[in-house]
């Protein structure tokens, strides 16, 4: 970063383009990176971010969610290979120095739709990929884990060494991968596990099945945020560009810093009760009404401690908070004439799109293209 400038000062809202200048600081260590899930919600922006950092990035993606394109951008995208990660072979991985693995069944509702397939993709498939990467001579394997592994963690924020207790198939698979890929670490293979907080923020391949994004869209369209719960559960949140920055820092850090390590990704200021998220977003929309329900049936209630990543990972800091992320979304909504049809479109909600592909016979019961 420029001397004396904070991460927030490196962010700029300019017209309709939102820049994060951390991405354009070229690094001495250029890595050849395979980014799985590169056409997804996070992957579309992460690919550009890593390219701007000077890395040589190739993307791979099954293409399930290509239809969910909300807005155009001039951000660069890596060269793409359309392939299910379960079909990746050893030769596909040769020559890469790092694999960044995003491509899994992407949230709890899809995970619960078919628990067996979730385990086949998120557990067996990811473990197979890590083993192949090691055999191919890949030096670093960065796995996108989740703070959801903490489940219902009690009163204090959870640290990386605390017991885990994922409540869903999605979270349980994250735990299994951490436990089973970690023993693969040796002098030539360095896995790193990024326990991301709940993601939010604008992406060309937008998702509205994430709390911040969904509440921002509802407030914008209806001037109302209506919640079935009382909004009291705690959850940590992190912007997708801060996740991208964490991955870049992991690729660029000395090996001993990231070797077989787990990092909670976010910052301590971004632990919120869900009702606080509603209040922040509601304050940005004149006349927005907030309606809360009874206590939540959602048992997920956790905060995360982000001390380790800030103290140990060189160059990492978060540049975004929920208010800034919501403003980013609102600016894009204004620019594209955002309407209810866009909001409700199946391509922006993972469970709707997967059900559509199954119902129309485009993918089989194991989530392979027919």
């Amino acid at each position: 970063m420029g001397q004396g400038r904070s991460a927030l000062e490196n962010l700029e809202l300019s017209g309709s383009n939102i820049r994060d200048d951390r991405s354009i600081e070229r690094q001495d260590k250029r890595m050849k990176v395979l980014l799985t899930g590169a056409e997804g919600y996070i992957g579309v922006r992460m690919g550009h971010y890593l390219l701007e950092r000077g890395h040589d990035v190739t993307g791979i993606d099954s293409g399930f969610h290509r239809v969910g394109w909300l807005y155009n951008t001039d951000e660069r995208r890596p060269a793409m290979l359309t392939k299910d990660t379960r079909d990746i072979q050893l030769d596909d991985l040769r020559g890469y120095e790092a694999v960044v693995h995003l491509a899994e069944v992407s949230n709890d509702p899809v995970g619960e739709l078919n628990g067996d397939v979730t385990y086949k993709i998120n557990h067996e498939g990811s473990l197979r990929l890590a083993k192949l990467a090691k055999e191919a001579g890949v030096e670093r394997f960065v796995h996108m884990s989740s703070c959801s592994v903490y489940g219902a963690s009690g009163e204090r924020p959870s640290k990386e060494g605390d017991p885990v207790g994922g409540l869903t198939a999605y979270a349980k698979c994250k735990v299994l991968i951490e436990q089973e890929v970690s023993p693969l670490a040796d002098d030539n293979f360095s896995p790193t596990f990024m326990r991301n907080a709940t993601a939010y923020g604008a992406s060309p391949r937008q998702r509205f099945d994430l709390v911040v994004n969904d509440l921002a869209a509802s407030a914008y369209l209806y001037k109302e945020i209506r919640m079935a719960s009382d909004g009291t559960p705690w959850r940590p949140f992190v912007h997708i560009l801060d996740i991208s920055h964490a991955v870049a820092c992991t690729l660029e850090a000395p090996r001993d810093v990231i070797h077989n390590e787990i990092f909670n990704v976010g910052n301590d200021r971004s632990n919120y009760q869900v009702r606080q998220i509603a209040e922040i977003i509601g304050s940005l929309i004149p006349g927005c009404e907030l309606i809360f329900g009874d206590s939540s049936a959602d048992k997920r209630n956790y905060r995360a401690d982000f001390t380790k990543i800030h103290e140990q990972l060189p160059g990492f800091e978060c540049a975004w908070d929920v208010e800034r992320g919501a403003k980013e979304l609102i600016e894009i909504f204004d620019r594209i004439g955002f309407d209810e049809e866009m909001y409700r479109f199946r391509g922006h909600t993972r469970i709707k799109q997967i059900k559509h592909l199954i119902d129309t016979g485009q993918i089989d019961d194991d989530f392979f293209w027919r």
Side-chain angles (χ1 to χ4, degrees):
M1 298 176 196
Q3 188 171 4
R5 297 178 72 196
S6 70
L8 285 174
E9 290 170 324
N10 273 314
L11 264 174
E12 179 178 309
L13 288 166
S14 175
S16 61
N17 296 314
I18 296 147
R19 298 192 299 114
D20 187 333
D21 285 347
R22 298 172 302 177
S23 67
I24 61 175
E25 294 162 19
R26 299 296 191 270
Q27 303 299 313
D28 294 334
K29 175 60 175 173
R30 173 186 169 97
M31 299 195 82
K32 187 172 183 181
V33 180
L34 181 66
L35 175 63
T36 75
E39 290 197 316
Y41 168 64
I42 298 175
V44 165
R45 298 206 73 180
M46 185 180 290
H48 168 78
Y49 195 95
L50 296 179
L51 287 169
E52 289 294 290
R53 297 281 286 204
H55 297 290
D56 180 0
V57 184
T58 300
I60 187 167
D61 199 288
S62 64
F64 288 170
H65 301 289
R66 282 190 182 132
V67 296
W69 194 259
L70 185 67
Y71 66 94
N72 286 322
T73 175
D74 60 0
E75 292 186 348
R76 290 194 295 157
R77 300 173 63 200
M80 285 295 309
L81 174 65
T82 299
K83 196 169 194 176
D84 193 301
T85 53
R86 292 170 289 178
D87 291 331
I88 288 177
Q89 301 301 316
L90 189 62
D91 285 346
D92 295 324
L93 297 167
R94 295 192 193 278
Y96 289 101
E97 297 166 281
V99 170
V100 178
H101 185 38
L102 274 167
E104 295 182 335
V105 173
S106 58
N107 65 0
D108 291 332
V110 179
E112 298 304 308
L113 175 67
N114 190 327
D116 288 342
V117 174
T118 298
Y119 279 93
K120 288 178 181 178
I121 296 173
N122 292 15
H123 175 214
E124 296 172 9
S126 294
L127 179 60
R128 174 182 175 273
L129 179 63
K131 289 178 176 178
L132 283 175
K134 179 177 179 175
E135 186 178 351
V138 174
E139 299 168 15
R140 301 192 183 196
F141 185 84
V142 184
H143 181 252
M144 296 291 101
S145 189
S146 169
C147 283
S148 65
V149 300
Y150 298 121
S153 60
E155 294 302 316
R156 70 171 181 82
S158 296
K159 297 183 179 181
E160 287 84 350
D162 289 346
V164 292
L167 301 176
T168 63
Y170 173 82
K172 290 172 182 176
C173 287
K174 298 296 188 186
V175 174
L176 288 170
I177 287 301
E178 292 179 6
Q179 293 173 342
E180 296 180 22
V181 173
S182 180
L184 301 177
D186 60 20
D187 290 343
N188 300 308
F189 184 69
S190 297
T192 310
F193 309 97
M194 315 299 284
R195 288 180 180 169
N196 297 313
T198 301
Y200 67 90
S203 168
R205 192 154 278 114
Q206 190 62 40
R207 287 179 59 183
F208 291 119
D209 52 1
L210 295 164
V211 174
V212 173
N213 300 351
D214 182 41
L215 296 185
S218 177
Y220 183 86
L221 289 174
Y222 311 122
K223 294 191 182 301
E224 177 183 283
I225 295 177
R226 182 182 294 271
M227 300 180 64
S229 76
D230 62 3
T232 56
W234 286 89
R235 208 74 55 79
F237 293 86
V238 64
H239 193 281
I240 58 177
L241 287 178
D242 286 330
I243 294 173
S244 300
H245 183 56
V247 169
C249 290
T250 299
L251 295 174
E252 296 153 14
R255 177 180 175 277
D256 63 316
V257 171
I258 55 83
H259 178 73
N260 214 14
E261 293 286 350
I262 298 171
F263 294 104
N264 291 343
V265 181
N267 68 39
D268 291 333
R269 299 185 306 278
S270 292
N271 285 300
Y272 297 93
Q273 288 179 294
V274 178
R275 70 178 302 122
Q276 292 175 310
I277 299 292
E279 289 164 354
I280 291 167
I281 293 170
S283 71
L284 302 176
I285 305 292
C288 184
E289 182 180 6
L290 306 184
I291 303 167
F292 296 99
D294 298 327
S295 60
S296 176
D298 188 347
K299 302 303 181 185
R300 294 172 301 169
N301 182 27
Y302 55 90
R303 290 173 290 164
D305 185 303
F306 299 99
T307 302
K308 179 179 177 180
I309 192 170
H310 286 87
E311 291 185 347
Q312 186 167 321
L313 190 60
F316 179 77
E317 59 178 315
C318 285
W320 294 80
D321 59 22
V322 166
E323 181 177 1
R324 181 179 288 270
K327 288 178 179 178
E328 170 197 36
L329 287 163
I330 291 167
E331 179 185 293
I332 288 172
F333 294 161
D334 282 338
R335 172 157 61 94
I336 66 173
F338 184 63
D339 59 20
E340 185 170 16
E341 183 179 1
M342 296 178 187
Y343 176 43
R344 303 292 182 187
F345 177 55
R346 58 179 165 76
H348 301 310
T349 299
R350 290 292 180 260
I351 187 73
K352 290 181 181 179
Q353 176 62 8
I354 292 296
K355 283 184 174 179
H356 169 77
L357 293 176
I358 293 170
D359 292 344
T360 56
Q362 296 182 68
I363 61 175
D364 63 22
D365 290 340
D366 289 321
F367 293 9
F368 281 108
W369 288 110
R370 290 190 183 273

